[in-house]
Each structure stands twice: as C-alpha cells, then as structure tokens.
Amino acid sequence: MKQLHRLLSALALLCLLFPATAQQSINWNKGGSDYTTLEANQIVRVNPITGQKDVIIAKNLLTPKGANDELKVRSYSFSEDNQKVLIYTNTKRVWRLDTKGDYWILDLKTNQLSQLGKGFDASSLMFAKISPDSKSVAYVYKNNIYSENIATHKITPLTKDGTKKLINGTFDWAYEEEFSCRDGFRWSPDSKSIAYWQIDANTIRDFYMINNTDSVYSKIVPVEYPKAGQTPSSCRIGVVVLSTAQTKWMKLPGATNNNYIPKMEWVPNTNKLIIQQLNRKQNISTLFIAEAQTAATTAIYKETDEAWVEFNNRSGESVGWDWLDNGKSFLWISEKDGWNHAYKITLDGKEQLLTPGDFDVIDILSYSEQNNKMYYTASPDNPRQRYLFSTTLDGQGKSTRITPLTQSGTHSYEISPDQKMAFHSFNSSQISRMSEVVNLPDHSVAGGKEGIEAKLSKVRLAQRPIEFFDIPIEGGVKLSAWMVKPANFDSTKKYPVVFYVYTEPAGATTKDEYYTGRNNLYQGDMGKDGYIYVSIDGRGTPLPKGRAWRKAIYRKIGQINIADQAAGASYLLKRPYMDSSRVAVWGWSGGGSTTLNLLFQYPQIYKTGIAVAAVGNQLTYDNIYQERYMGLPQENREDFVNGSPITHAKNLQGHLLYIHGTGDDNVHYQNAEMLLNELIKYNKQFEFMAYPNRSHGISEGEGTGKHLSTLYTNYLRKYCPPGGK
C-alpha cells in the first residue's frame, strides 16, 4: 500500500541528484577525493571539483569475447582490492524492482571479462557480492545460495533445500514490501562463511491472481501473501561455512513464525552477528549478538512502545549497520524519548544520546570517528522541509545547522567518505532542482564555481500560487496543509475544491518540494481551469513532528486520520471563496482507502471521489503492515472493521469512480470486488474501471497512462465542474 509512495520518492530523489544517471548513483572512492559513475554505458572517474572525467572502463572492455555488442550495465561494484569489477546486466523485474539478472566479472589486471553462473538460466542470479578477500562471488539462484571461485569459476552450492516457498538468501513478498528486505545474505569479514536468512513460507496460503489477457486460457498467478491475522512466515538466520557447506542455525528465542528479523549483519572483525528481532505485534525490538560457531545468542538492547517500534532500516535500506569503535559500538535511531534521535550503543547495551532536543532526526547521512562528526537531516522549525545538521560522535557537541539559512526548502546530500565535500541538491515548491558540490563543514561552493546561492539571485521563481499553512482542530492539534488557488483568483467568486489525500503512516503529502501541488493525473492545468487544489497531512503521517503525532494513529487507521481530514476540510470550507457544493477528493493506494472513507463517512462534505487501488477491507492486506499499525485482528478485530471503507459503503451519497488493476499483487483486486458487492447490496450507483492485468502502479500496457489520465480528468470535470462562479 505504501509501495507507490516509496518508489516515487526514491525515483524523484535520484533524478534530482543525478538526472543523467538516475539508474546508477555515485560511488565515492575510499579517500573521498573523487567518485565513479556510469555514463553512456562506460564507468568513468569524476573529479567533483573540476568536473574532469576519465573513462576507466570503456565499452570495449565490456564486450564479451565473440560478441558484437557490449554488456548493457545496470549497476556495478568494485572488489575490496579494486582489482575486479562486478557487472550487473540483462535484468528482470521481480514484483517491484529488477532484482534478477546476469553477472559478469571484469579483472582489471588482465582485462578478462567472464560470466558468473554459467549453465544457469539467463537473468536468474540475484544479489551477487564479491567476498572481502576478493577471491569469490556469492549469489542466489532459485532460492539457493552459491559461491563461485573467481579464478577457476568453480561453483559450489551452499544450500540445496531451496524451493518456491523455502527461500534462502532472499525474501518472500511481505518481507520485501514491508521491511525493504531483498538481499538476504552477508559475507563474513574473513570470507570463510556466509550468514543468511531462510524464510519458510510453506504455511502461507497463496493468493491467486488471474491473468486473462495473455492467452485464450486464463493463467493463475500465485503469490505467497499473509493476510492480516494470519501467522507469519517462519524466519531464521543461518551461517554456512564455505569449506563444508554446512549451516548452523542461530538460537534466537521464541517461535520462528511469531517473530520477525528485519536486520542482520556481521560485527566487524569478529565471527559474531548482530540481529534485530521484532515480536509479531512489532512493539518490542531486541538486538542480539550471536556466536557464529556455537549459535548462542545474547540480548544486548531492548526497546518497547505502546504502539509500534520502527525497524531501523537506514533510509529505506535494510542492508548495513553503522559501526563505531572498531565494531564495539554502533549508531541507532530511536524515538523512545518522544522524538526520533540518534544514539550510540555499545555491544554491552549502554546507550548515549547524541542529538538531544525536541526535534526529529530524519536520516543519518554520514559519520566519521576521525572527524568526531555525524551529519544528519532534520527540520526542527518546519516539518515540511529538510536541512543538513551536524553534531559530534562523543555526545559532547551541539547540533549545528550546516545548510544556509537563505535556502528555504528541501535539501539532499551525498557526502564523501572523508566528509570534506558533498553533492548538494535543493528544491522547493517554488524552485526547481538546483545542484552544486560543496565543501564541508562550511558549505562553501567547491572549485570556485557558481553555486546555488548565486543562482538563486538570478533564478526566476515559479510564482506558483501555493500556500503552506497549519489548520487548528480540536484538542490543540495542528494539521499541515497546502493550497493552490486558481489562476486569476477572485475572492468574490466560489471555486470547486479538490483534496489530494494519503494520510497513512507510509507517506506525507505536504512536503515543501517542487512537485508538491501538482496533479500528474489531470490533463491540463487545474489552476487555469479554475480549481482550488488542497492537501492535508493529519496525525499518523511520517512528518518530523514527534512520536505522539506519528503514533496517534495506532489501531485507528480509517478513523482518526479520516476525522482529521474531515475536520481540516470543514475548517477550510468556511472560506467564502470555496464552493461547498463542489468538493472532490482523490488518492491512490492508502490514499484511495482514505478517499473511500471520506466519501462514505462524511458525505455531507465530500461530493465526488476518485479512488485508485484502494484497500477496501483492512483484513485483506498483509499482516506485517496492517498488524504493525492496527494490532492483531484476533485481539481487536473491531478496529479493522470500523476503519475499513467496506463497513461504511452503505452511506455513499455522492459520485464515486473506483479504479483498480486486476494484476495488483500489493492491494489485491479482491478489494474492489468486495467493495462493489457492498455498494450493489445497498443499490449505490457508482462508476468502476478495471485495468486488466495491471499491477499496483497501473503502468503496464500500451496506452494505459493516457487512458487513466483521461478517465480521471473527464470524471472530475463532469461531477466537480471547474471554474469560479
């Protein structure tokens, strides 16, 4: 349900930072003085100050012997000794991302290019990684883990029991969607062992999607999908020794099918693992140290919350751990004191708060013990924005804003390993993306070039009539909101109002970013056509406004967030230029669910709704997401029922357009059919569009985007006519 928001946010960030190389981010060298990137299917080294580029791996080196064309590089990585390059190509999508493909090794000493996994199916290897000693590569093939000697290309199976539902080294649907877990194995520091996840989804029932479009006979597409209330997949951590191909299973407490393991890594320079375990309700997080040789585990750190504990996934990435003191301590994010803060935690469980204050740390971007410095993003004064801050790692320093005060908006950074420079990107609702290379910590422009500050004095602002403001509602709560008024706005006229909604824990809509306030589904210009466009973030959205704001939604999705939206709309609709007879609402995924709930629960406010890929019944969604925020149906089923649109469908009074892809593996098409049945039961008239065999993003197939946009636009114009009156 949150997949669309995460993907769009990630893609937008990549495009803002590196518009020419959105598929491949930069790779700083260890010294931090330059980086490599992919340009025109060649790997180049770039001096970030001068901009000088040197091709280090040309196309001819990427052409296999006997082939006419070079490999089309999707991504690459260097070995620890920088003598070998792992090339990822010929990729294939698995659910959300292109996580299957072919891997090749280029030896930079001999310029020899050789394929890995010869004899295996094309586009079938996953997550290949070179060992720390640069002698082997490991990868996943058909849910088993293999190692391959780079010199001899001898392939050794390290697991042999993998099946469609017994998964070694990668994950099932739910882990991938909800914990961002994809790469499921880790090389040991000495290259002699591999630690890996094993997911046993044999007890998880398949949800069957039907492909009716690719053949005259339908095809069943099964997905192992644990619905809310269903027992999770079993999960355990094993360590396999390469020399024996024998696995030892770590002895974590509790049932393997009643806990989750979202994070695991090797402790540096040891034969030990660190493992995060969440209980099923995800309100207890425990960190364990596991001895790889004995499998014994010791709990070192525990955190509890009355709602849920956020799993620590490093800005959406489950891979990696932020180590300090040569592996004796690490950085960790927690909101245990009411705010999201960075802590230093030792392996014996002692903690030290590094970022005290009534504000949220958004992301940790960089840390250096040599410099005694940590860089992170935050925005203490405006939850819609994002800035760079620094503090010390010893806990004695104060948080200092690094981003210039004159640059109000949203900032992102790619910081070099030595923390001496960074790629800096800036945008706001009024300013399109600008980039520069800056020196740190003074944020001066590197190389004497014209930077963002100089450009701002010349740039022509967008002059978009977007306003950011807060809406006060009952209980002293302030909702975050924006509004875009029509072009040539006349306060003596009344205009139709269109609300864009999401308002669940996976996404916020009121950030100060360049694309905020734009509607890509609408054909034309909403402002010129005479619409007021509005969005409101209520309690439960992931804005940096403290734990109480974010956790208020616990067990109340479909209730408190819906009431907040209605309260905000009621407050705004008192303005004389808003036409309360022409009020529309729309959203996608969780926003589609919100649209339905608003239309059904507050028909006196919302007259027209367009819901795309909505969850109509919370009991149909996956257990990890729904139980994290709602509890267990076995204990509080009434909350799931009361928050589901299907429960309130009988109250429909206005105009509804409901849109869903029949091939949606995320929010299943059954949601549409269940909701339609309920509307039919009460003789509620509506319009419905099914997109055959399309997934959650409804993007596949020729002409789909244009058709969806046309459908959306025509419906909105018909039932919520534009223009001031």
Side-chain angles (χ1 to χ4, degrees), residues 139-172:
Y139 46 77
V140 175
Y141 173 68
K142 292 187 176 180
N143 289 340
N144 278 312
I145 304 171
Y146 294 80
S147 66
E148 182 169 342
N149 184 283
I150 293 176
T152 66
H153 288 287
K154 179 184 177 183
I155 299 173
T156 303
L158 301 179
T159 66
K160 297 180 180 180
D161 55 356
T163 65
K164 184 180 182 298
K165 290 202 172 188
L166 186 65
I167 305 165
N168 297 300
T170 183
F171 296 91
D172 62 358

Side-chain angles (χ1 to χ4, degrees), residues 20-21 37-44 57-59 62 70-73:
T21 58
T37 190
L38 188 65
E39 290 190 4
N41 207 48
Q42 299 184 117
I43 298 175
V44 299
I57 300 178
K59 293 180 180 180
L62 297 172
E70 76 271 11
L71 301 174
K72 304 302 180 186
V73 181

Side-chain angles (χ1 to χ4, degrees), residues 33 47 110 220 284 296 299 355 378 577 698:
S33 58
N47 183 314
T110 65
I220 294 175
I284 303 173
T355 55
Y577 53 80
I698 311 184

Side-chain angles (χ1 to χ4, degrees), residues 301-319:
Y301 187 76
K302 189 173 185 178
E303 184 178 352
T304 62
D305 194 289
E306 292 179 356
W308 69 88
V309 179
E310 292 287 355
F311 61 99
N312 210 291
N313 71 340
R314 301 175 96 229
S315 308
E317 263 294 332
S318 66
V319 178

